[in-house]
Amino acid sequence: MVLPVFYKVKPADVGHQIGNFGKAFHEREKRLLERPPFDPTILEKWKKALGEVSTLKGYEADGYEADLVESIVRKVLSELKKKFELHISENLVGIDRHVKEVMEVVDTKKSHATLFLGIHGMGGIGKTTLAKAIYNKISNQYEHRSYIADIRESWKRNGGHYLENQLIYDISKRKNEVRNEDEGVEYISSKFKGKKVLLLLDDVDDVVQLTHLAGKSVAGNPVAGDRDWFSSESMIIITTRNERILQKFGVDHIYDHKELDYEQSMILFCKHAFRKESPPREFEGLTHEVVSITGGLPLSLEVLGSLFCGKERSKWRDTIKKLEKVLHLDVQKRLKISYEALDYGQKQIFLDIACFFIGTDMRITSYMWDACHFFPGENIEVLRFMSLIKIGDKHELGMHDRLRDLGRTIVLEENQQQPWHRSRLWDSEDVKEVLKKNKKLKFLNPMHCQYLENTDFLSAFKSLEVLILTACRRPQQIDSSIGGMKALLHLDLSYCKSLTKLPEEIGELKAPKQLFLAETPELSALPESIGSLQNLEILDIEYSGIEELPMVLGG
């Protein structure tokens, strides 16, 4: 960004090289041309650049210089503030009113203690968006900021210490400081007492998560949070579906986020369906019909608006009839209409994300989808355009809880009684049953795999493409039968604390592109045969016990 300051000179003088500025410029031009072999085309570039600068919106020093400096400082601070802002959609409706209501309460409750604000409401109501808007509004008042997203899902997948480490890094820029949740509580509660912090904890579903990230329980009062973890005037914003969590934790204020009214619902729907705030005349009646059955839920308005976007008027009626059939059912079933509009590959990617990949880097999963000819580059964009998925700043896949539930329900309905006839398994008990029966799979990520005694079951999965066995505690080595998994593209053994050895047979694999061995402290060496993995693109051995790589890897 360029902010030109025209100090004792007019923009036109600069752009056209006239006046005192022009006189000085032409004198310089004359001297340069008298010094061969000076290239005169350089002067033309200078003139062009000066012309462009003169058209930029800048500042003119035509008054008190102190006022000029003050206005420049305000502008610079405003631009720097944007660096710390969280991304929210541009198609927001009614958010200003909610922000104003919350800030009025916050201003009246401000004290020297840490302020806890809770936002609750049903799924898809816009809690996270509201929290982000408040965060952005006040972020420039805080030197230390942290946004912990999707806590409910991430806590289950990665554990509390993972989120504690994220908070620690955001505030102190120190990586992997704690190994378990108790260490995290001790570190945060003792190290940050002098820091004024703005913290947004998104999608909390257990009070324990709050006591580990924002305030441990106080002796004699096991449900109220300890407000002494951070310095005075810190602020903690919490979003959750469960109001009881906020009550148990003892937040200062609870904001109940309600649905949009009809007028706001119409505007939001039209922004997604027509890219403007009102419908074309020929679509007015149909638009009113659709909006009337959304219940003011922003998620439904966004998804259905994207669904109708670009559709001919004749196609609207059939889609509305489908929506009317599920008028009194859960939003989950209404959203299924968007799912049914997808082609085969798009459906498979949607279901994969819903069952397994929320929070996963899409660059990893794209290998599998590409091998299956699902065209991930194009189809992920389609899913994002239809508001069925989201892509984070770090390429992580995201999906609203209602859409996740929709995808998992679709898979469960493939066969309620026999899990081995379903296309995907994410429940640990179903996985155990299928493993016992040695059924074929393409993707395997057994939850609670830390309880696996051994990995000899691998011999049954010749067609497996993705194998994730993170945080396995008991097996000390991977079974040699892994060499028979010729289709394997992605192998993740991160956080396998007891892993001491990989079999030489791993070199018999030909397809792997990614091998993750991070956080395996007992693994001190790689087998020489790993050099045979000719397609390997990523080898992650961060914080493992491996001190040097085999020479066959070529460094």
Side-chain angles (χ1 to χ4, degrees):
M1 174 175 287
V2 178
L3 298 175
V5 179
F6 298 98
Y7 186 72
K8 297 182 179 181
V9 66
K10 296 296 183 182
D13 294 347
V14 175
H16 299 290
Q17 296 91 52
I18 58 178
N20 289 333
F21 180 88
K23 181 179 179 181
F25 181 86
H26 293 307
E27 288 178 357
R28 175 68 172 167
E29 178 181 25
K30 181 180 179 181
R31 288 197 302 271
L32 290 173
L33 291 174
E34 290 174 352
R35 278 190 223 161
F38 181 77
D39 184 357
T41 61
I42 294 178
L43 287 168
E44 295 304 316
K45 292 180 181 179
W46 288 3
K47 293 176 182 179
K48 181 180 178 182
L50 290 171
E52 292 176 356
V53 168
S54 69
T55 63
L56 295 176
K57 185 177 180 180
Y59 300 85
E60 294 186 45
D62 55 359
Y64 289 110
E65 293 183 7
D67 294 338
L68 173 66
V69 171
E70 184 178 349
S71 63
I72 294 173
V73 169
R74 281 199 303 267
K75 176 64 175 177
V76 171
L77 289 177
S78 175
E79 294 300 325
L80 288 175
K81 177 177 179 290
K82 294 178 182 178
K83 176 182 178 182
F84 303 107
E85 288 186 349
L86 303 175
H87 174 72
I88 53 179
S89 171
E90 296 179 355
N91 295 323
L92 297 180
V93 175
I95 191 70
D96 292 338
R97 176 177 64 84
H98 294 296
V99 171
K100 181 180 179 181
E101 290 176 353
V102 172
M103 293 308 300
E104 286 176 352
V105 174
V106 169
D107 291 337
T108 60
K109 289 182 175 290
K110 275 188 176 179
S111 66
H112 293 296
T114 298
L115 178 65
F116 289 86
L117 167 67
I119 301 173
H120 83 93
M122 65 180 297
I125 203 67
K127 301 182 295 296
T128 300
T129 300
L130 174 58
K132 285 182 174 181
I134 297 169
Y135 181 102
N136 289 343
K137 185 177 181 65
I138 62 177
S139 63
N140 63 334
Q141 303 174 24
Y142 297 85
E143 180 182 356
H144 305 286
R145 293 162 292 266
S146 180
Y147 167 46
I148 312 294
D150 303 319
I151 289 176
R152 176 162 55 125
E153 192 75 23
S154 187
W155 193 281
K156 293 176 183 176
R157 184 190 306 112
N158 303 309
H161 78 287
Y162 175 86
L163 300 181
E164 290 169 335
N165 273 321
Q166 181 182 337
L167 172 58
I168 292 168
Y169 177 77
D170 289 344
I171 296 177
S172 66
K173 305 305 177 187
R174 299 175 69 90
K175 287 186 176 181
N176 301 313
E177 285 293 300
V178 300
R179 295 168 294 180
N180 57 60
E181 295 168 14
D182 291 337
E183 283 187 12
V185 168
E186 181 63 29
Y187 189 101
I188 298 170
S189 63
S190 62
K191 299 291 187 179
F192 298 151
K193 288 185 179 294
K195 298 184 184 298
K196 181 181 174 182
V197 173
L198 174 61
L199 175 59
L200 171 50
L201 303 176
D202 177 50
D203 197 16
V204 172
D205 72 339
D206 194 313
V207 73
V208 171
Q209 296 160 356
L210 294 177
T211 61
H212 281 73
L213 293 169
K216 60 186 178 181
S217 298
V218 179
N221 187 9
V223 294
D226 180 355
R227 297 168 183 264
D228 294 331
W229 280 25
F230 311 107
S231 77
S232 61
E233 299 184 11
S234 292
M235 184 168 177
I236 316 297
I237 305 172
I238 304 161
T239 72
T240 181
R241 294 183 179 190
N242 190 342
E243 183 180 6
R244 180 59 179 156
I245 292 174
L246 302 176
Q247 294 171 341
K248 288 178 65 178
F249 191 68
V251 301
D252 296 292
H253 178 68
I254 297 176
Y255 186 79
D256 185 3
H257 201 359
K258 299 294 186 181
E259 295 85 356
L260 297 176
D261 61 31
Y262 190 82
E263 181 180 353
Q264 293 171 336
S265 297
M266 176 67 75
I267 294 173
L268 181 58
F269 177 82
C270 289
K271 282 189 172 185
H272 286 271
F274 306 111
R275 301 299 186 256
K276 56 184 181 179
E277 294 189 357
S278 60
R281 179 171 297 179
E282 65 271 23
F283 284 93
E284 283 183 357
L286 294 171
T287 300
H288 283 286
E289 288 186 49
V290 176
V291 172
S292 67
I293 60 179
T294 60
L297 192 65
L299 176 65
S300 290
L301 291 162
E302 292 174 8
V303 172
L304 295 181
S306 299
L307 173 65
F308 282 99
C309 182
K311 279 194 174 184
E312 298 177 0
R313 191 175 184 277
S314 59
K315 300 282 182 68
W316 277 56
R317 178 55 59 194
D318 291 338
T319 306
I320 290 175
K321 286 181 180 178
K322 292 180 181 180
L323 289 171
E324 289 174 340
K325 291 180 181 179
V326 295
L327 177 61
H328 301 294
L329 299 178
D330 190 69
V331 172
Q332 176 177 290
K333 293 186 178 180
R334 298 179 193 169
L335 298 180
K336 191 172 183 180
I337 297 172
S338 292
Y339 169 81
E340 291 172 345
L342 302 174
D343 66 26
Y344 177 78
Q346 293 159 3
K347 286 180 177 178
Q348 302 313 304
I349 293 176
F350 173 82
L351 294 177
D352 283 344
I353 296 172
C355 294
F356 306 118
F357 297 134
I358 295 175
T360 301
D361 190 322
M362 70 175 184
R363 294 171 294 185
I364 295 175
T365 55
S366 290
Y367 283 114
M368 182 182 69
W369 292 326
D370 189 62
C372 296
H373 305 293
F374 293 158
F375 307 104
E378 174 185 349
N379 286 335
I380 287 176
E381 283 301 305
V382 172
L383 294 175
R384 182 165 65 171
F385 175 77
M386 295 185 68
S387 300
L388 290 173
I389 66 170
K390 298 178 181 180
I391 308 296
D393 294 336
K394 298 180 180 179
H395 308 284
E396 69 271 23
L397 294 164
M399 180 181 287
H400 191 275
D401 289 347
R402 287 297 175 89
L403 293 167
R404 178 204 61 196
D405 296 341
L406 166 68
R408 293 183 177 183
T409 298
I410 291 171
V411 174
L412 283 172
E413 290 174 350
E414 293 173 356
N415 195 304
Q416 292 280 1
Q417 303 301 321
Q418 298 174 309
W420 52 88
H421 286 306
R422 297 182 203 143
S423 59
R424 296 158 181 85
L425 301 171
W426 61 92
D427 181 83
S428 58
E429 294 303 317
D430 290 340
V431 171
K432 289 178 183 178
E433 186 173 356
V434 172
L435 292 179
K436 290 177 182 177
K437 296 180 180 293
N438 291 334
K439 299 295 180 179
K440 291 183 180 180
L441 295 172
K442 286 187 177 294
F443 175 93
L444 179 60
N445 180 11
M447 294 178 66
H448 309 298
C449 70
Q450 62 263 38
Y451 300 114
L452 290 174
E453 295 288 348
N454 55 63
T455 58
D456 56 7
F457 63 88
L458 296 176
S459 60
F461 301 105
K462 306 297 184 184
S463 61
L464 202 64
E465 295 175 358
V466 176
L467 176 61
I468 300 178
L469 296 175
T470 57
C472 287
R473 296 178 182 175
R474 296 179 182 177
Q476 294 184 334
Q477 62 183 47
I478 301 300
D479 192 85
S480 61
S481 60
I482 194 174
M485 303 170 70
K486 303 301 183 184
L488 196 64
L489 296 169
H490 174 89
L491 175 60
D492 192 345
L493 300 172
S494 302
Y495 296 94
C496 292
K497 302 296 186 180
S498 299
L499 184 65
T500 61
K501 184 179 180 181
L502 292 177
E504 284 291 334
E505 287 78 4
I506 199 170
E508 298 174 13
L509 301 174
K510 301 301 180 185
K513 295 185 177 182
Q514 299 174 328
L515 176 58
F516 289 85
L517 299 169
E519 299 286 348
T520 52
E522 300 300 320
L523 184 63
S524 59
L526 293 172
E528 291 290 328
S529 63
I530 202 168
S532 300
L533 303 182
Q534 298 179 357
N535 294 320
L536 195 63
E537 297 176 357
I538 297 176
L539 174 62
D540 185 358
I541 58 173
E542 187 177 24
Y543 298 109
S544 70
I546 301 171
E547 297 183 355
E548 60 182 62
L549 297 174
M551 293 297 294
V552 290
L553 286 176

PDB file of all heavy atoms in Angstrom, residues 202-224:
ATOM      1  N   ASP A 202     -14.331 -20.570  20.353  1.00  0.00           N
ATOM      2  CA  ASP A 202     -15.470 -20.834  19.468  1.00  0.00           C
ATOM      3  C   ASP A 202     -15.961 -22.272  19.563  1.00  0.00           C
ATOM      4  O   ASP A 202     -15.178 -23.219  19.525  1.00  0.00           O
ATOM      5  CB  ASP A 202     -15.047 -20.532  18.021  1.00  0.00           C
ATOM      6  CG  ASP A 202     -16.149 -20.850  17.032  1.00  0.00           C
ATOM      7  OD1 ASP A 202     -17.286 -20.401  17.244  1.00  0.00           O
ATOM      8  OD2 ASP A 202     -15.869 -21.559  16.048  1.00  0.00           O
ATOM      9  N   ASP A 203     -17.274 -22.431  19.689  1.00  0.00           N
ATOM     10  CA  ASP A 203     -17.959 -23.727  19.678  1.00  0.00           C
ATOM     11  C   ASP A 203     -17.516 -24.628  20.829  1.00  0.00           C
ATOM     12  O   ASP A 203     -17.012 -25.733  20.636  1.00  0.00           O
ATOM     13  CB  ASP A 203     -17.753 -24.436  18.340  1.00  0.00           C
ATOM     14  CG  ASP A 203     -18.780 -25.555  18.138  1.00  0.00           C
ATOM     15  OD1 ASP A 203     -19.790 -25.573  18.859  1.00  0.00           O
ATOM     16  OD2 ASP A 203     -18.547 -26.420  17.273  1.00  0.00           O
ATOM     17  N   VAL A 204     -17.743 -24.159  22.036  1.00  0.00           N
ATOM     18  CA  VAL A 204     -17.437 -24.920  23.251  1.00  0.00           C
ATOM     19  C   VAL A 204     -18.625 -25.829  23.574  1.00  0.00           C
ATOM     20  O   VAL A 204     -19.780 -25.398  23.495  1.00  0.00           O
ATOM     21  CB  VAL A 204     -17.166 -23.960  24.424  1.00  0.00           C
ATOM     22  CG1 VAL A 204     -17.041 -24.714  25.736  1.00  0.00           C
ATOM     23  CG2 VAL A 204     -15.925 -23.132  24.146  1.00  0.00           C
ATOM     24  N   ASP A 205     -18.356 -27.070  23.924  1.00  0.00           N
ATOM     25  CA  ASP A 205     -19.470 -27.957  24.289  1.00  0.00           C
ATOM     26  C   ASP A 205     -19.274 -28.637  25.639  1.00  0.00           C
ATOM     27  O   ASP A 205     -20.015 -29.559  25.990  1.00  0.00           O
ATOM     28  CB  ASP A 205     -19.714 -29.001  23.199  1.00  0.00           C
ATOM     29  CG  ASP A 205     -18.640 -30.066  23.134  1.00  0.00           C
ATOM     30  OD1 ASP A 205     -17.523 -29.817  23.639  1.00  0.00           O
ATOM     31  OD2 ASP A 205     -18.901 -31.153  22.582  1.00  0.00           O
ATOM     32  N   ASP A 206     -18.280 -28.191  26.412  1.00  0.00           N
ATOM     33  CA  ASP A 206     -18.049 -28.757  27.737  1.00  0.00           C
ATOM     34  C   ASP A 206     -17.360 -27.702  28.597  1.00  0.00           C
ATOM     35  O   ASP A 206     -16.406 -27.061  28.156  1.00  0.00           O
ATOM     36  CB  ASP A 206     -17.177 -30.014  27.632  1.00  0.00           C
ATOM     37  CG  ASP A 206     -17.196 -30.836  28.923  1.00  0.00           C
ATOM     38  OD1 ASP A 206     -17.040 -30.239  30.007  1.00  0.00           O
ATOM     39  OD2 ASP A 206     -17.359 -32.054  28.846  1.00  0.00           O
ATOM     40  N   VAL A 207     -17.830 -27.551  29.825  1.00  0.00           N
ATOM     41  CA  VAL A 207     -17.240 -26.547  30.710  1.00  0.00           C
ATOM     42  C   VAL A 207     -15.771 -26.831  31.000  1.00  0.00           C
ATOM     43  O   VAL A 207     -14.992 -25.927  31.288  1.00  0.00           O
ATOM     44  CB  VAL A 207     -18.057 -26.449  32.020  1.00  0.00           C
ATOM     45  CG1 VAL A 207     -17.824 -27.658  32.898  1.00  0.00           C
ATOM     46  CG2 VAL A 207     -17.735 -25.158  32.767  1.00  0.00           C
ATOM     47  N   VAL A 208     -15.373 -28.103  30.887  1.00  0.00           N
ATOM     48  CA  VAL A 208     -13.970 -28.472  31.105  1.00  0.00           C
ATOM     49  C   VAL A 208     -13.063 -27.745  30.116  1.00  0.00           C
ATOM     50  O   VAL A 208     -11.943 -27.346  30.442  1.00  0.00           O
ATOM     51  CB  VAL A 208     -13.792 -29.999  30.997  1.00  0.00           C
ATOM     52  CG1 VAL A 208     -12.313 -30.369  31.010  1.00  0.00           C
ATOM     53  CG2 VAL A 208     -14.527 -30.699  32.123  1.00  0.00           C
ATOM     54  N   GLN A 209     -13.541 -27.572  28.908  1.00  0.00           N
ATOM     55  CA  GLN A 209     -12.744 -26.878  27.895  1.00  0.00           C
ATOM     56  C   GLN A 209     -12.447 -25.446  28.331  1.00  0.00           C
ATOM     57  O   GLN A 209     -11.342 -24.933  28.122  1.00  0.00           O
ATOM     58  CB  GLN A 209     -13.493 -26.892  26.558  1.00  0.00           C
ATOM     59  CG  GLN A 209     -13.684 -28.297  26.011  1.00  0.00           C
ATOM     60  CD  GLN A 209     -14.805 -28.388  24.991  1.00  0.00           C
ATOM     61  OE1 GLN A 209     -15.506 -27.410  24.732  1.00  0.00           O
ATOM     62  NE2 GLN A 209     -15.001 -29.574  24.421  1.00  0.00           N
ATOM     63  N   LEU A 210     -13.428 -24.809  28.960  1.00  0.00           N
ATOM     64  CA  LEU A 210     -13.230 -23.449  29.440  1.00  0.00           C
ATOM     65  C   LEU A 210     -12.265 -23.407  30.621  1.00  0.00           C
ATOM     66  O   LEU A 210     -11.419 -22.516  30.710  1.00  0.00           O
ATOM     67  CB  LEU A 210     -14.567 -22.833  29.838  1.00  0.00           C
ATOM     68  CG  LEU A 210     -15.559 -22.600  28.701  1.00  0.00           C
ATOM     69  CD1 LEU A 210     -16.871 -22.048  29.240  1.00  0.00           C
ATOM     70  CD2 LEU A 210     -14.981 -21.664  27.663  1.00  0.00           C
ATOM     71  N   THR A 211     -12.397 -24.370  31.515  1.00  0.00           N
ATOM     72  CA  THR A 211     -11.523 -24.368  32.690  1.00  0.00           C
ATOM     73  C   THR A 211     -10.075 -24.678  32.327  1.00  0.00           C
ATOM     74  O   THR A 211      -9.168 -24.397  33.110  1.00  0.00           O
ATOM     75  CB  THR A 211     -12.007 -25.376  33.738  1.00  0.00           C
ATOM     76  OG1 THR A 211     -11.981 -26.695  33.181  1.00  0.00           O
ATOM     77  CG2 THR A 211     -13.416 -25.048  34.208  1.00  0.00           C
ATOM     78  N   HIS A 212      -9.840 -25.249  31.145  1.00  0.00           N
ATOM     79  CA  HIS A 212      -8.479 -25.536  30.706  1.00  0.00           C
ATOM     80  C   HIS A 212      -7.895 -24.440  29.820  1.00  0.00           C
ATOM     81  O   HIS A 212      -6.683 -24.388  29.631  1.00  0.00           O
ATOM     82  CB  HIS A 212      -8.435 -26.856  29.945  1.00  0.00           C
ATOM     83  CG  HIS A 212      -8.445 -28.060  30.838  1.00  0.00           C
ATOM     84  ND1 HIS A 212      -9.568 -28.463  31.520  1.00  0.00           N
ATOM     85  CD2 HIS A 212      -7.468 -28.927  31.180  1.00  0.00           C
ATOM     86  CE1 HIS A 212      -9.280 -29.541  32.231  1.00  0.00           C
ATOM     87  NE2 HIS A 212      -8.013 -29.842  32.035  1.00  0.00           N
ATOM     88  N   LEU A 213      -8.757 -23.581  29.298  1.00  0.00           N
ATOM     89  CA  LEU A 213      -8.275 -22.552  28.373  1.00  0.00           C
ATOM     90  C   LEU A 213      -8.425 -21.129  28.904  1.00  0.00           C
ATOM     91  O   LEU A 213      -7.728 -20.225  28.441  1.00  0.00           O
ATOM     92  CB  LEU A 213      -9.028 -22.655  27.032  1.00  0.00           C
ATOM     93  CG  LEU A 213      -8.761 -23.911  26.200  1.00  0.00           C
ATOM     94  CD1 LEU A 213      -9.757 -24.002  25.054  1.00  0.00           C
ATOM     95  CD2 LEU A 213      -7.337 -23.928  25.670  1.00  0.00           C
ATOM     96  N   ALA A 214      -9.328 -20.934  29.858  1.00  0.00           N
ATOM     97  CA  ALA A 214      -9.603 -19.561  30.275  1.00  0.00           C
ATOM     98  C   ALA A 214      -9.704 -19.369  31.778  1.00  0.00           C
ATOM     99  O   ALA A 214      -9.811 -18.250  32.237  1.00  0.00           O
ATOM    100  CB  ALA A 214     -10.900 -19.073  29.622  1.00  0.00           C
ATOM    101  N   GLY A 215      -9.707 -20.424  32.573  1.00  0.00           N
ATOM    102  CA  GLY A 215      -9.815 -20.245  34.018  1.00  0.00           C
ATOM    103  C   GLY A 215     -10.130 -21.539  34.718  1.00  0.00           C
ATOM    104  O   GLY A 215     -11.172 -22.132  34.479  1.00  0.00           O
ATOM    105  N   LYS A 216      -9.211 -22.011  35.556  1.00  0.00           N
ATOM    106  CA  LYS A 216      -9.423 -23.271  36.254  1.00  0.00           C
ATOM    107  C   LYS A 216     -10.470 -23.103  37.349  1.00  0.00           C
ATOM    108  O   LYS A 216     -10.803 -21.998  37.767  1.00  0.00           O
ATOM    109  CB  LYS A 216      -8.118 -23.770  36.853  1.00  0.00           C
ATOM    110  CG  LYS A 216      -7.487 -22.806  37.862  1.00  0.00           C
ATOM    111  CD  LYS A 216      -6.124 -23.304  38.306  1.00  0.00           C
ATOM    112  CE  LYS A 216      -5.469 -22.319  39.261  1.00  0.00           C
ATOM    113  NZ  LYS A 216      -4.130 -22.751  39.686  1.00  0.00           N
ATOM    114  N   SER A 217     -10.996 -24.212  37.860  1.00  0.00           N
ATOM    115  CA  SER A 217     -11.991 -24.170  38.918  1.00  0.00           C
ATOM    116  C   SER A 217     -11.394 -23.617  40.200  1.00  0.00           C
ATOM    117  O   SER A 217     -10.224 -23.823  40.511  1.00  0.00           O
ATOM    118  CB  SER A 217     -12.544 -25.575  39.181  1.00  0.00           C
ATOM    119  OG  SER A 217     -13.173 -26.067  38.024  1.00  0.00           O
ATOM    120  N   VAL A 218     -12.224 -22.904  40.945  1.00  0.00           N
ATOM    121  CA  VAL A 218     -11.789 -22.315  42.207  1.00  0.00           C
ATOM    122  C   VAL A 218     -12.156 -23.261  43.342  1.00  0.00           C
ATOM    123  O   VAL A 218     -13.242 -23.832  43.368  1.00  0.00           O
ATOM    124  CB  VAL A 218     -12.479 -20.951  42.420  1.00  0.00           C
ATOM    125  CG1 VAL A 218     -12.049 -20.333  43.737  1.00  0.00           C
ATOM    126  CG2 VAL A 218     -12.143 -20.023  41.259  1.00  0.00           C
ATOM    127  N   ALA A 219     -11.239 -23.437  44.291  1.00  0.00           N
ATOM    128  CA  ALA A 219     -11.506 -24.325  45.428  1.00  0.00           C
ATOM    129  C   ALA A 219     -12.776 -23.880  46.152  1.00  0.00           C
ATOM    130  O   ALA A 219     -12.961 -22.706  46.454  1.00  0.00           O
ATOM    131  CB  ALA A 219     -10.318 -24.293  46.389  1.00  0.00           C
ATOM    132  N   GLY A 220     -13.639 -24.844  46.407  1.00  0.00           N
ATOM    133  CA  GLY A 220     -14.883 -24.547  47.099  1.00  0.00           C
ATOM    134  C   GLY A 220     -15.985 -24.086  46.164  1.00  0.00           C
ATOM    135  O   GLY A 220     -17.134 -23.986  46.556  1.00  0.00           O
ATOM    136  N   ASN A 221     -15.648 -23.803  44.939  1.00  0.00           N
ATOM    137  CA  ASN A 221     -16.635 -23.386  43.945  1.00  0.00           C
ATOM    138  C   ASN A 221     -16.245 -24.003  42.607  1.00  0.00           C
ATOM    139  O   ASN A 221     -15.649 -23.353  41.760  1.00  0.00           O
ATOM    140  CB  ASN A 221     -16.672 -21.860  43.840  1.00  0.00           C
ATOM    141  CG  ASN A 221     -17.800 -21.388  42.934  1.00  0.00           C
ATOM    142  OD1 ASN A 221     -18.638 -22.175  42.520  1.00  0.00           O
ATOM    143  ND2 ASN A 221     -17.819 -20.106  42.629  1.00  0.00           N
ATOM    144  N   PRO A 222     -16.524 -25.285  42.410  1.00  0.00           N
ATOM    145  CA  PRO A 222     -15.971 -26.038  41.294  1.00  0.00           C
ATOM    146  C   PRO A 222     -16.492 -25.650  39.920  1.00  0.00           C
ATOM    147  O   PRO A 222     -16.017 -26.154  38.932  1.00  0.00           O
ATOM    148  CB  PRO A 222     -16.385 -27.474  41.633  1.00  0.00           C
ATOM    149  CG  PRO A 222     -17.615 -27.333  42.460  1.00  0.00           C
ATOM    150  CD  PRO A 222     -17.413 -26.090  43.272  1.00  0.00           C
ATOM    151  N   VAL A 223     -17.468 -24.749  39.843  1.00  0.00           N
ATOM    152  CA  VAL A 223     -17.989 -24.411  38.525  1.00  0.00           C
ATOM    153  C   VAL A 223     -17.613 -23.011  38.075  1.00  0.00           C
ATOM    154  O   VAL A 223     -17.648 -22.693  36.901  1.00  0.00           O
ATOM    155  CB  VAL A 223     -19.530 -24.552  38.476  1.00  0.00           C
ATOM    156  CG1 VAL A 223     -19.921 -25.984  38.633  1.00  0.00           C
ATOM    157  CG2 VAL A 223     -20.191 -23.698  39.555  1.00  0.00           C
ATOM    158  N   ALA A 224     -17.269 -22.126  38.996  1.00  0.00           N
ATOM    159  CA  ALA A 224     -16.941 -20.751  38.603  1.00  0.00           C
ATOM    160  C   ALA A 224     -15.500 -20.649  38.134  1.00  0.00           C
ATOM    161  O   ALA A 224     -14.618 -21.289  38.681  1.00  0.00           O
ATOM    162  CB  ALA A 224     -17.166 -19.804  39.786  1.00  0.00           C
TER     163      ALA A 224
END
